[in-house]
Amino acid sequence: MAYQEILITLPQQQTEVLSDALFDMSGVLSVVIEDAHADSVQEQALFGEPGLELNQCSWQLSLMTVLVDVTTDTAILMRQIEDLLSLPSPLIYQVRS
């Protein structure tokens, strides 16, 4: 089976809303969320130790990689994402095959 990845950079508030909703969208197989500043001086460590409360669940700026089937129309999926987030302008994203 062939796949494609959609890479989206999002602020923290949008990342948390979108990560939960993506699995209900047709064609989405998996979601990976990483620090958009990984491997730079701006990288932010997040840890969740047993017994300690986690202050935040995602980074200030996250790189979200959404794995979808190759037959998924990524333009339609991105419009659904933009509608869900009620964004005033389109998201900037990249599709990799």
Side-chain angles (χ1 to χ4, degrees):
M1 177 179 261
Y3 304 101
Q4 49 188 341
E5 294 177 323
I6 305 171
L7 292 95
I8 313 165
T9 302
L10 296 165
Q12 182 177 14
Q13 302 84 348
Q14 293 173 347
T15 300
E16 293 174 4
V17 170
L18 183 56
S19 63
D20 291 336
L22 272 170
F23 288 106
D24 292 331
M25 295 183 176
S26 179
V28 174
L29 302 172
S30 73
V31 177
V32 175
I33 302 170
E34 302 172 272
D35 187 347
H37 298 295
D39 299 324
S40 77
V41 295
Q42 295 173 313
E43 184 173 3
Q44 179 185 10
L46 295 181
F47 300 101
E49 296 294 332
L52 296 178
E53 251 186 76
L54 189 60
N55 293 337
Q56 63 188 61
C57 296
S58 63
W59 296 272
Q60 294 298 317
L61 192 63
S62 295
L63 174 62
M64 182 177 288
T65 304
V66 182
L67 184 69
V68 296
D69 185 89
V70 73
T71 62
T72 299
D73 187 327
T74 56
I76 290 174
L77 181 61
M78 288 306 299
R79 279 196 298 278
Q80 291 173 332
I81 290 169
E82 290 165 355
D83 289 346
L84 173 74
L85 297 175
S86 301
L87 298 176
S89 59
L91 286 169
I92 297 172
Y93 65 96
Q94 175 186 3
V95 177
R96 292 193 305 207
S97 297

